Amino acid sequence: MLQFRRFALAVCLIGMLVQLGLTAYYLGMGHKAQPHHVPVGLVSPAAERGQVAGLLTERGYFKVTDYATADDLEIAIKRRDVYGGVDITGTRPHLYVASAAGPAAASLLRTTFTSVVQQQTAAELQRLADQGDRIAVSRAQQLNSPPPITDVVPLPDDDVNGVSLGFLTQALALGGTIASMGLGRLIPRTRRSWRRGIAHVSILAVYALGSAAAVLWSMGWFGVGVTADRSEMLGIFSLISLAITASTAGAVAIFGPVGALLGALYFTVGTVISGASILPEFLPAFGRHLGANLPTGAGVQAVRDNLYFPAADIQGHLIVLALYAGIGALVVLVTNMLPNRRNQTSEVDLDLAHRLEGSERREPVKL
């Protein structure tokens, strides 16, 4: 009884510590997300450039890149070099956004743009009033009309809040973690060899393809990504799934069952800083850089670009995913081939499962 009480107390304390850590992490990352150097474009005459750029950068919210024409700005938005921008070469400032790149950035641009235009309009009207000047009714209506805004890459009607990417990433992370722990039970319990290693890696690859197909199929039920190239999406989802499952299986191979925590971290920590719901530019520096170099973060950016920004370069994201998948698969292959002191492979300890099933006591089988 005393041993049971100690065990129960330890479980409760560990649960409370994990909950405390996750709560602090989630709130630290997202409770008051602040923009940091959100990339935007500016088309302006040289004489006015300094004033407008100063208004955009004074609080550190935006990082300004100059473009010669509005067409150049739109091309940059479609390549996701910038989240939007403003053209002040016409009679009225014109704002360009891309809500598909992130509703938070589009909302920030709209709010900032509208506020600045309203301030400038009020200042102009006050100046005219102080001088006793009169203006035509048409001019007054023009000054008080809402500024023009163009959404260059809008979100589809079936994903108006842009939350689908986050859900898809969570599903892949959770499914990949469970799969990397359970697939080892399918590995023949024989002496280690290159055939056994290839079999394990092959199963991970087959699962990744099946997982990607399931996600792609379920997306179609809700009209998400129906206009995207299905074969490209299947390849990207497969690479994301393999990056998660192979790296988790590799961690189990090196550290034993505790290595499965890597998959849990992908799900609990990685999805928050993946950029799916909170844009990287709205995260603290630590979360921004870590998230971009996890399978969840690289996967989200690759999927977003493929879905909404086909002109964007996703090579860097694919390299990150390929490294996780390749290194993890290599570790699984090697540990299934070569003996080691602890006699570990990439399988989870199944001794408890044998006892629960009533089988004879055997040496623990590791996956």
Side-chain angles (χ1 to χ4, degrees), residues 151-176:
D151 196 341
V152 179
V153 188
L155 280 166
D157 294 336
D158 293 311
D159 188 21
V160 293
N161 295 318
V163 298
S164 297
L165 291 180
F167 295 147
L168 294 175
T169 304
Q170 287 181 324
L172 284 169
L174 181 59

Side-chain angles (χ1 to χ4, degrees), residues 92-109:
R92 295 209 69 194
H94 192 126
L95 178 67
Y96 296 86
V97 299
S99 56
S107 177
L108 176 65
L109 276 166

Side-chain angles (χ1 to χ4, degrees), residues 170-202:
Q170 287 181 324
L172 284 169
L174 181 59
T177 300
I178 295 173
S180 61
M181 296 172 59
L183 285 176
R185 299 196 65 170
L186 302 177
I187 304 301
R189 298 169 191 174
T190 59
R191 294 174 63 89
R192 276 176 263 175
S193 67
W194 64 271
R195 291 181 179 178
R196 177 171 176 168
I198 291 177
H200 200 165
V201 172
S202 298

Side-chain angles (χ1 to χ4, degrees), residues 66-127:
D66 293 306
Y67 294 96
T69 66
D71 290 339
D72 293 336
L73 174 59
E74 288 197 46
I75 291 173
I77 293 173
K78 291 177 180 178
R79 293 176 54 187
R80 212 151 78 90
D81 294 334
V82 293
Y83 283 99
V86 61
D87 176 12
I88 60 171
T89 58
T91 56
R92 295 209 69 194
H94 192 126
L95 178 67
Y96 296 86
V97 299
S99 56
S107 177
L108 176 65
L109 276 166
R110 285 190 177 96
T111 302
T112 303
F113 176 70
T114 302
S115 176
V116 170
V117 170
Q118 288 176 344
Q119 291 175 11
Q120 292 179 337
T121 299
E124 176 66 13
L125 292 174
Q126 185 61 48
R127 183 184 65 79

Side-chain angles (χ1 to χ4, degrees), residues 196-212:
R196 177 171 176 168
I198 291 177
H200 200 165
V201 172
S202 298
I203 290 175
L204 291 174
V206 169
Y207 170 80
L209 185 61
S211 172

Side-chain angles (χ1 to χ4, degrees), residues 219-356:
M219 287 170 58
W221 301 347
F222 305 97
V224 178
V226 292
T227 60
D229 186 304
R230 309 294 280 183
S231 59
E232 289 183 2
M233 290 303 303
L234 179 64
I236 292 174
F237 281 133
S238 297
L239 188 55
I240 296 171
S241 182
L242 185 59
I244 292 172
T245 55
S247 59
T248 304
V252 172
I254 296 174
F255 302 109
V258 72
L261 288 176
L262 179 63
L265 289 175
Y266 289 154
F267 178 73
T268 58
V269 174
T271 54
V272 175
I273 57 178
S274 66
S277 55
I278 306 175
L279 291 176
E281 289 81 8
F282 286 69
L283 290 168
F286 168 77
R288 181 165 63 253
H289 296 302
L290 178 60
N293 291 287
L294 290 177
T296 46
V300 161
Q301 301 309 319
V303 171
R304 174 179 279 130
D305 286 349
N306 189 264
L307 280 177
Y308 307 129
F309 300 88
D313 182 12
I314 65 173
Q315 182 177 356
H317 307 312
L318 296 182
I319 289 175
V320 172
L321 293 172
L323 286 173
Y324 275 92
I327 294 174
L330 181 62
V331 171
V332 170
L333 182 62
V334 170
T335 54
N336 274 283
M337 291 172 59
L338 301 179
N340 57 54
R341 186 175 60 185
R342 297 176 61 191
N343 195 35
Q344 267 183 200
T345 69
S346 54
E347 300 178 5
V348 175
D349 191 340
L350 300 179
D351 184 48
L352 179 60
H354 290 314
R355 281 185 280 173
L356 291 175

